[in-house]
Structures are given as C-alpha cells and as structure tokens.
Amino acid sequence: GSFYDLAGNPFNGSYNCFQTGAGVDSVIPQILSVTPLNGATGIGPNNPVIVTFTKSMNPGTFGNNVAMYTGSTLYTQSYGYSNDGTVMYFNPGNLPWGTTFTVAVNQGVTDLAGNHIANTFTSTFTTMPQPVTTRPQVSSMRPGSGATGVAKPTPIGFFLSQPMNAATINSSTLL
C-alpha cells in the first residue's frame, strides 16, 4: 500500500536517513544490595549470602574478584550467579557459629560491556552464637552431697552447668 499527503499525492521513494547500531555502554555498575545487610548480627548458619548488582555482570570476571573472609583469612570463593548476571551468591555451606564474615567484591568485576565497579565493595555480618542444646545439670551444691550435721537455717546453694532463666525458678520448681 501507498500512503498520501493531505493533497492526495502519493509518497514517492524510499530513503535511508540513518542506521541504528549498538551504542557504547559506559554506565558503571554498582552494588544494589547485599544479604545479610552490612553490620547484621545474629545471622543463622544457613542464611544465603547474596550480592545484587544494578545491571548484568560478566560472571567470567568474578573468579578471584569475589570472596568471603573471616578476618583476613579467606573463607570461600565458591559462588554461583543468576542467569541474567544481576545476582551473585556464595556457596558457603553451613557458616560457623559466632563468626564475623566480610563479603568482598573488588574492582576486577565488570559488566557485560567491560565497565568495572567503581570501588572495592565490602560488607560484614556476624553469625549467631551456637545455641545451647544440652539440659542444665547440677554440677555441685552446698552443703555438699552426703554432708551430716548441717544446721537447719543453712542456705542450700546449687551450682548449675549453664545460666538459668531466673523467671522460671520458684518455690514450686525446687523440691
């Protein structure tokens, strides 16, 4: 089909005025978020460790440029990433209890166009202390077991294997 101007004249010709092409991507990628949050404490040992970028990254540049540390000691460089390259996650397994970790992404990481992140990124978090899973026990008592001739008003003291919740101890719990 032809098309016409307002006077009814048909358009005559074909013109190539420009050609589209790939533009230069010079936008610097950034870290959008990290999980656990920077400074977080009480993190469970199976919590995922995730870094999210503002754009698709080149996973081939992660290699020696991403890591988790405990202090200055390398903990892991084992990682995975999303299909679109915007999410990188560590595969640390079970994290040790009561340990502070640093997540590091250095400037060697690039997006698909080769743009490097502007600055080395670090974030820290601390896992929760190991929960107590044993029942408390009386480790010793005063007067000692088998003592004889103890005066009636002598207070009895129990020494327990772990701290107790004082709100749960009353005259009905001690017989």
Side-chain angles (χ1 to χ4, degrees), residues 9-164:
N9 299 311
F11 177 75
N12 188 12
S14 171
Y15 296 95
N16 284 329
C17 299
F18 62 91
Q19 188 172 27
T20 60
V24 176
D25 176 0
S26 59
V27 177
I28 296 173
Q30 298 177 5
I31 307 292
L32 182 63
S33 66
V34 62
T35 303
L37 295 174
N38 187 35
T41 59
I43 301 302
N46 297 313
N47 201 82
V49 180
I50 302 169
V51 177
T52 304
F53 298 93
T54 56
K55 56 195 300 195
S56 294
M57 302 302 286
N58 178 353
T61 63
F62 291 161
N64 291 327
N65 296 312
V66 298
M68 281 178 59
Y69 295 89
T70 56
S72 61
T73 302
L74 177 64
Y75 181 74
T76 187
Q77 284 184 297
S78 176
Y79 63 87
Y81 50 89
S82 63
N83 289 337
D84 68 356
T86 59
V87 175
M88 189 270 312
Y89 51 89
F90 288 97
N91 301 313
N94 290 333
L95 298 172
W97 303 103
T99 305
T100 298
F101 291 91
T102 299
V103 175
V105 179
N106 75 33
Q107 292 172 292
V109 172
T110 69
D111 65 13
L112 297 175
N115 299 309
H116 295 263
I117 63 171
N119 299 301
T120 295
F121 172 84
T122 60
S123 177
T124 61
F125 67 91
T126 303
T127 54
M128 63 192 287
Q130 184 169 6
V132 177
T133 58
T134 58
R135 290 181 164 206
Q137 298 180 14
V138 174
S139 53
S140 65
M141 61 183 199
R142 298 283 186 268
S145 178
T148 59
V150 177
K152 283 190 177 187
T154 302
I156 300 173
F158 294 98
F159 297 90
L160 303 169
S161 59
Q162 59 199 42
M164 299 298 294

